[in-house]
Amino acid sequence: MAELIALTEVRKVYNGERAHAALDGVSIGIAAGEVTAIMGPSGSGKSTLLNVIGGLDRPTKGTIVVDGVDLGRLSEAGLARFRRARVGIIFQFFNLLNNLTALDNVTIPAQLAGMKPGQARRRALDLLERLGIAPLRDQYPARMSGGERQRVAIARALINNPVLLLADEPTGALDSHSGDQVMAILGDLNRTGQTLVLVTHDERLARSSATRVVRLVDGAVADQRGDGSRSLVQLQ
């Protein structure tokens, strides 16, 4: 499979070069269609790695190429356009706007990307239907369960047909039943070819879902295992 993500000697230092490096010489390649789990203790750089892959943060040194685009060559506006067009992000605590309905939460990224309102609404309704929460389209997040809110967040992440889906502890705020449901949804997406990079503390989740596991310690890659040849659905 073609390589979708390539990181070369990526280093990220906050508060100057004398500070502790959040990422220290990370080099990894991720093929299209893989499910890659990023693991490691708290403070090991997992979320920072996810952020630089998604163009939410810039590395201090090194190069990051995603879907053929060198992120270091993009302006801030260019990075924003890149994220809207090619990257979907699922957050642990959903990050939904509480004053908007499920449908409106999902359509916002599409409208920001320039999709016509009618098209955005139709696409959002289709995603809510696929994820089994179409009846909740007019509900506000406060009236939903954690699993329902995460499904809305997944729909929002998918609205612009991203080539890459990033998930930061996608089941961390859920009970085990809701977490299993969310992972089944992500498994269905992977079966259709969706590339997924997820940060997780859950060893069981990583073993059962990932085609590759990357372990970070003190900002460096301590171990990589997996050949990318199996899908998340096959492992469930």
Side-chain angles (χ1 to χ4, degrees):
M1 289 183 288
E3 195 169 70
L4 183 71
I5 303 167
L7 280 72
T8 306
E9 292 296 320
V10 171
R11 181 175 171 83
K12 177 63 181 179
V13 179
Y14 294 103
N15 300 321
E17 282 293 335
R18 293 186 179 180
H20 178 72
L23 296 175
D24 191 7
V26 172
S27 295
I28 57 174
I30 297 172
E34 277 199 70
V35 181
T36 300
I38 310 297
M39 302 195 71
S42 297
S44 61
K46 301 185 300 298
S47 292
T48 300
L49 179 57
L50 209 67
N51 287 342
V52 298
I53 291 174
L56 294 168
D57 205 352
R58 291 185 183 272
T60 306
K61 293 180 181 178
T63 60
I64 302 168
V65 177
V66 179
D67 196 27
V69 177
D70 184 343
L71 302 191
R73 296 180 178 273
L74 298 181
S75 64
E76 290 302 317
L79 279 174
R81 288 192 295 270
F82 171 82
R83 288 193 300 270
R84 284 197 295 265
R86 307 198 198 190
V87 180
I89 303 176
I90 304 167
F91 299 95
Q92 177 178 357
F93 295 107
F94 324 125
N95 284 22
L96 300 176
L97 297 175
N98 289 323
N99 61 330
L100 297 181
T101 64
L103 181 60
D104 289 339
N105 265 284
V106 175
T107 58
I108 281 178
Q111 292 172 339
L112 289 173
M115 191 181 296
K116 293 180 179 179
Q119 182 183 358
R121 179 181 173 84
R122 289 191 296 273
R123 167 101 177 123
L125 288 171
D126 179 64
L127 285 168
L128 293 175
E129 180 71 33
R130 284 171 55 194
L131 295 171
I133 51 171
L136 301 180
R137 64 186 186 182
D138 295 322
Q139 288 278 13
Y140 291 89
R143 299 180 63 87
M144 301 177 196
S145 69
E148 290 167 344
R149 280 179 282 174
Q150 193 61 294
R151 290 183 191 213
V152 174
I154 292 171
R156 179 186 59 189
L158 293 172
I159 189 71
N160 290 328
N161 291 306
V163 297
L164 173 62
L165 197 59
L166 304 178
D168 194 353
E169 297 284 1
T171 63
L174 306 176
D175 59 48
S176 59
H177 177 67
S178 295
D180 288 344
Q181 289 182 326
V182 165
M183 287 312 301
I185 290 168
L186 296 179
D188 288 340
L189 292 170
N190 176 245
R191 184 170 56 187
T192 65
Q194 181 72 61
T195 305
L196 175 63
V197 179
L198 63 93
V199 164
T200 182
H201 283 94
D202 189 337
E203 290 277 356
R204 181 187 68 87
L205 175 63
R207 286 196 304 270
S208 66
S209 66
T211 56
R212 181 186 307 275
V213 177
V214 177
R215 296 184 187 274
L216 297 181
V217 176
D218 294 332
V221 176
D223 184 43
Q224 290 192 65
R225 296 188 182 182
D227 60 10
S229 63
R230 296 168 297 173
S231 77
L232 187 149
V233 176
Q234 290 170 330
L235 285 166
Q236 289 181 338

